[in-house]
């Protein structure tokens, strides 16, 4: 960044002191925030669109080999030719998905995976067991508590423990709609232990801040040098 000649020393001494303090404070905040990161997959675009009577699934590693997200979809071989879409997460220290349990009026208990909007704080929601066999996205035309029967995008929120602590993450899905219920896993991300994560968040809060802090620190150093020279003169 260039500085116009002859104008740097025209700034009041109190302003230079403020710039110096701000640069140091920004650098400190950037150093602290850089300790935790969000790990973003990039576009993966995995289609869960099985043939009739078949199952489509994928296993995507998170932090450790045993920590995975597991999208799953089955196309029933019947006159309805409808689909059964589910989503699973498993990890060494346990995993869970944002959702709720409902027994469908006394029937088989089933976990319904919540459809989250962009920007939803993952940790603020209720969770169900990640590897439960009935983590339901959508089934045929849908149960009364299904949230993924309509065509369009949404986010699955999850958390897992890789053995070092709880980590939060999200996966972005595109649903084709009932009753086929096939879907695409577009991308996903997860944070380090202690890093809060919002649905759709690809970078940690400190990523941009740390770069800015280097400029702030440089400004503070230059400002302090000019301030000292002016004081001596």
């Amino acid at each position: 960044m260039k500085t116009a000649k002859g104008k740097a020393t025209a700034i009041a001494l109190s302003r230079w002191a403020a710039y110096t303090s701000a640069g140091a404070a920004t650098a400190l905040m950037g150093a602290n925030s850089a300790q935790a990161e969000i790990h973003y997959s990039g576009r993966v675009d995995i289609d869960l669109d099985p043939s009739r009577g078949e199952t489509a699934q994928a296993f995507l590693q998170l932090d450790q080999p045993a920590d995975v997200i597991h999208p799953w979809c089955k196309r029933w071989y019947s006159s309805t030719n409808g689909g059964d879409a589910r989503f699973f997460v498993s990890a060494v220290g346990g995993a869970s998905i944002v959702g709720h349990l409902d027994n469908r009026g006394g029937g088989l208990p089933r976990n319904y995976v919540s459809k989250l909007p962009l920007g939803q704080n993952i940790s603020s929601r209720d969770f169900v067991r990640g590897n439960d066999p009935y983590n339901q996205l959508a089934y045929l035309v849908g149960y009364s508590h299904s949230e993924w029967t309509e065509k369009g995008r949404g986010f699955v929120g999850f958390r897992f423990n890789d053995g070092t602590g709880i980590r939060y993450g999200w996966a972005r899905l595109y649903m084709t709609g009932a009753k086929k219920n096939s879907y695409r896993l577009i991308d996903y991300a997860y944070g380090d232990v202690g890093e809060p994560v919002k649905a759709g968040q690809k970078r940690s809060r400190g990523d941009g801040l740390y770069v800015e802090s280097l400029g702030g620190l440089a400004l503070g150093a230059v400002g302090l040098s000019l301030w000292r020279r002016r004081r001596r003169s």
Side-chain angles (χ1 to χ4, degrees), residues 60-68 90 92 160 162-164 167 190:
L60 303 172
Q61 183 178 329
L62 295 170
D63 184 55
Q64 303 294 333
D67 304 339
V68 297
S90 59
V92 173
F160 68 100
D162 64 352
T164 64
R167 310 173 73 164
Y190 61 93

Side-chain angles (χ1 to χ4, degrees), residues 129-150:
R129 188 162 65 94
N131 60 348
D132 188 278
Y134 294 104
N135 282 343
Q136 200 76 59
L137 293 170
Y139 177 76
L140 302 181
V141 296
Y143 297 124
S144 59
H145 296 287
S146 298
E147 299 182 16
W148 295 84
T149 54
E150 295 183 1

Side-chain angles (χ1 to χ4, degrees), residues 3-20:
T3 303
K5 292 183 179 180
K7 292 188 177 182
T9 55
I11 300 177
L13 300 183
S14 60
R15 291 279 298 278
W16 281 122
Y19 289 154
T20 305

Side-chain angles (χ1 to χ4, degrees), residues 209-220:
L209 188 61
Y210 186 70
V211 175
E212 293 171 6
S213 74
L214 299 180
L217 184 58
L219 176 60

